[in-house]
Amino acid sequence: MGSILIVAEIQKGAVREASYELAAFAHKVAGGRSVASLVIGSGIAGEAESFAKKGGGDVLYVDRPELANYSVDGWTRAIRAAVEATSAELVLISNTPSGWDVAPRIAAALDCGFVSDAFNVENEGGKLVFFRRVFNGKLDARIATKADRVVATVQPGATGAYQGATSGGAKALEVDLGAPRSRFVETKQAASKGVDLTKAAIIVSGGRGLGAPEKFPEVIQPLADALGGAMGAARPVVDAGWLPHEYQVGSSGQVVTPKLYIACGISGAIQHLVGMKGSNYIIAINKDADAPIFEVANLGVVADLFEVIPKLTAAVKAAKG
């Protein structure tokens, strides 16, 4: 029986939280398989040792100066070598920009099954079943591949980090990186434009359910102002150009933990839930009673937001005098 291989990522010199989440998935579905991991980077031997004790199992690491920054060529060669060394049947990679880039290349190179953006994986009678959101989060798809080997990317934040301890160790993996076909140039950090939702105590966010960009200043902003909070948005709103990216809440926007989060016309795609489910109290307003947003809401209102929100805004203003 082959093993499960976790491809861990290094962020700011340490194994990132999403890699510990992969460990949680790996141990949940192991079903008798051993769990192994691969850590890639420069000066990361210590992190590899630490990860081996905190869910990584038997950790292989490729510690090379040329891998100090992400390199698709280097990562592809390292992961293929680790798969061969561990006889991995399941390769778990975080659904991050690096993961988006390298995972399908690995699947193609190994001629195996590929599942992207999964938020859950279950072992059902010895068969792995992956779950991912489709149709803007309105449905959950169950995916089981026919292949014996599978590469899967997992949405960061979809589960908690692994909390147990493992007795694995770490050892270096020798890899011929070959001649790189690309080179790292620089990382550019987007300039802040003054909307820092991470510091807001109250956030009122809108989704495509508002129907038009002008509804944000007409409906969402007045409620946010009345509550003394900030306005946010779901990814489809930003993708449509209704609001700038700095308003986006989600795994590809800002991850927020306000005291109160009000989701208006937001279905609740996993990338949005990841960005706000840590809020202290969540109110969801949506006409669709089956919207995934209600799974994390403390209070759900199944109604027309254009009827509810203006009345709520008026009630808040009246209460404040």
Side-chain angles (χ1 to χ4, degrees), residues 50 64 269:
S50 178
R64 304 276 284 273

Side-chain angles (χ1 to χ4, degrees), residues 13 18 28 47 64 71 124 162 177 220 228 276 283 286 301 307:
K28 181 178 73 169
E47 281 298 311
R64 304 276 284 273
S71 161
E124 298 185 1
Y162 185 74
L177 297 179
I220 301 299
M276 46 67 74
I283 298 175
N286 201 299
V301 182
E307 295 180 4

Side-chain angles (χ1 to χ4, degrees), residues 7 9 16 18-19 22 92-96 98-100 152-154 156:
V7 179
E9 288 188 40
R16 65 181 299 168
S19 298
L22 292 182
L92 295 176
I93 303 174
S94 295
N95 198 57
T96 59
S98 298
W100 303 337
T153 63
V154 179

Side-chain angles (χ1 to χ4, degrees), residues 107-149:
L110 297 176
D111 192 24
C112 66
F114 177 59
V115 180
S116 66
D117 203 20
F119 69 87
N120 192 19
V121 57
E122 298 284 352
N123 189 333
E124 298 185 1
K127 186 70 174 179
L128 293 178
V129 178
F130 300 86
F131 298 78
R132 69 189 305 270
R133 293 257 158 80
V134 294
F135 297 112
N136 200 27
K138 293 186 180 297
L139 297 174
D140 290 348
R142 291 165 49 90
I143 302 171
T145 75
K146 294 181 179 179
D148 293 329
R149 176 177 285 161

Side-chain angles (χ1 to χ4, degrees), residues 42-294:
S42 178
I44 44 81
E47 281 298 311
E49 289 281 357
S50 178
F51 190 50
K53 307 299 182 186
K54 299 178 181 179
D58 293 319
V59 176
L60 300 173
Y61 63 90
V62 181
D63 193 339
R64 304 276 284 273
E66 55 266 54
L67 294 175
N69 296 291
Y70 171 73
S71 161
V72 66
D73 297 317
W75 272 53
T76 299
R77 287 175 178 263
I79 295 171
R80 291 188 63 181
V83 170
E84 182 177 348
T86 60
S87 300
E89 291 181 345
L90 172 62
V91 181
L92 295 176
I93 303 174
S94 295
N95 198 57
T96 59
S98 298
W100 303 337
D101 191 33
V102 76
R105 298 170 189 262
I106 298 299
L110 297 176
D111 192 24
C112 66
F114 177 59
V115 180
S116 66
D117 203 20
F119 69 87
N120 192 19
V121 57
E122 298 284 352
N123 189 333
E124 298 185 1
K127 186 70 174 179
L128 293 178
V129 178
F130 300 86
F131 298 78
R132 69 189 305 270
R133 293 257 158 80
V134 294
F135 297 112
N136 200 27
K138 293 186 180 297
L139 297 174
D140 290 348
R142 291 165 49 90
I143 302 171
T145 75
K146 294 181 179 179
D148 293 329
R149 176 177 285 161
V150 181
V151 175
T153 63
V154 179
Q155 184 67 246
T159 189
Y162 185 74
Q163 296 299 322
T166 49
S167 57
K171 67 176 183 178
L173 176 66
E174 293 299 324
V175 179
D176 178 9
L177 297 179
R181 296 174 297 175
S182 60
R183 65 185 179 88
F184 173 80
V185 178
E186 65 176 321
T187 298
K188 285 190 174 182
Q189 186 72 33
S192 174
K193 297 183 179 179
V195 181
D196 187 0
L197 297 177
T198 63
K199 297 179 180 178
I202 298 173
I203 299 174
V204 182
S205 284
R208 285 295 293 270
L210 271 83
E214 61 269 17
K215 298 300 181 181
F216 279 84
E218 293 175 3
V219 179
I220 301 299
Q221 190 68 65
L223 177 57
D225 291 342
L227 291 169
M231 181 174 69
R235 178 176 175 175
V237 168
V238 174
D239 287 347
W242 294 1
L243 285 176
H245 183 265
E246 59 263 29
Y247 287 93
Q248 182 177 323
V249 174
S251 59
S252 55
Q254 298 188 57
V255 176
V256 300
T257 55
K259 294 180 179 178
L260 173 63
Y261 188 89
I262 304 178
C264 310
I266 296 174
S267 63
I270 186 64
Q271 81 88 26
H272 187 78
L273 299 184
V274 166
M276 46 67 74
K277 66 181 182 180
S279 304
N280 186 58
Y281 198 86
I282 300 170
I283 298 175
I285 305 171
N286 201 299
K287 290 193 296 184
D288 182 3
D290 296 322
I293 192 71
F294 290 122

